[in-house]
Amino acid sequence: MATPDGQELIFAGRRGDVQQLYRLRLDAEQADPIPGTEGAQLPAVSSDGRWLAFWSDRALRKTLLAGGAVSVVAALNVRPFGLAWDRRGHLLFGTNSGIQEVRTDGSVAQVTSVATGEVAHVLPHPLGQGETILFTVRKSFAYWGDEDLVAYTP
């Protein structure tokens, strides 16, 4: 994923047996590992470019992109299907039950719910100021090809 200023890419990579998040400045030749992100997946950068959120060890976590301590934002019993930060500072993630959000106070709320014939709402992406969420409705876990793209405004 690109940072909001478009100057860096943040991605999950592996060196040897260690998977972690990396930061690649577009004017650099090599990506640098981001300390504290060992085992991390699903990077999401805040809209102001200061914070990096990710999933690892059954929790959503965050750290300053410039470096610092990693803290748990919310414990999760499931692996999220996509992670995005909206302009309000809420973290959106997809699950088998629908899109959920972690609010700035740490509470987790259900934003959408799967309907009959759906198996998951995945890959949330806030549009504009975050008032609308674009996401994919999965109708099967066995294959891709029968999805719906939804723009949802609560």
Side-chain angles (χ1 to χ4, degrees):
M1 81 161 311
T3 55
D5 65 7
Q7 299 301 306
E8 298 176 284
L9 297 176
I10 308 298
F11 61 93
R14 183 177 296 277
R15 283 189 183 157
D17 292 337
V18 179
Q19 175 177 308
Q20 70 183 113
L21 299 183
Y22 288 83
R23 174 186 204 163
L24 175 64
R25 290 179 177 82
L26 296 184
D27 60 355
E29 293 182 19
Q30 184 172 327
D32 297 315
I34 299 172
T37 64
E38 294 80 3
Q41 299 177 36
L42 303 172
V45 178
S46 63
S47 61
D48 63 8
R50 294 185 56 224
W51 291 95
L52 172 65
F54 55 91
W55 181 80
S56 73
D57 296 324
R58 302 182 71 83
L60 292 178
R61 302 171 189 278
K62 73 176 184 177
T63 186
L64 286 168
L65 195 52
V70 173
S71 61
V72 172
V73 176
L76 297 182
N77 291 325
V78 297
R79 180 191 184 279
F81 301 114
L83 180 64
W85 220 315
D86 72 13
R87 292 186 183 273
R88 301 170 299 166
H90 296 186
L91 283 167
L92 303 167
F93 59 97
T95 71
N96 294 348
S97 65
I99 302 297
Q100 296 183 23
E101 69 180 359
V102 180
R103 297 179 175 155
T104 54
D105 66 3
S107 63
V108 178
Q110 193 78 28
V111 177
T112 69
S113 296
V114 297
T116 302
E118 301 174 351
V119 297
H121 292 174
V122 302
L123 307 173
H125 181 81
L127 301 174
Q129 295 298 313
E131 64 279 354
T132 299
I133 303 165
L134 189 68
F135 64 92
T136 301
V137 174
R138 296 284 318 263
K139 296 179 182 178
S140 169
F141 282 123
Y143 59 89
W144 284 91
D146 192 23
E147 294 75 34
D148 291 326
L149 187 61
V150 174
Y152 173 77
T153 303

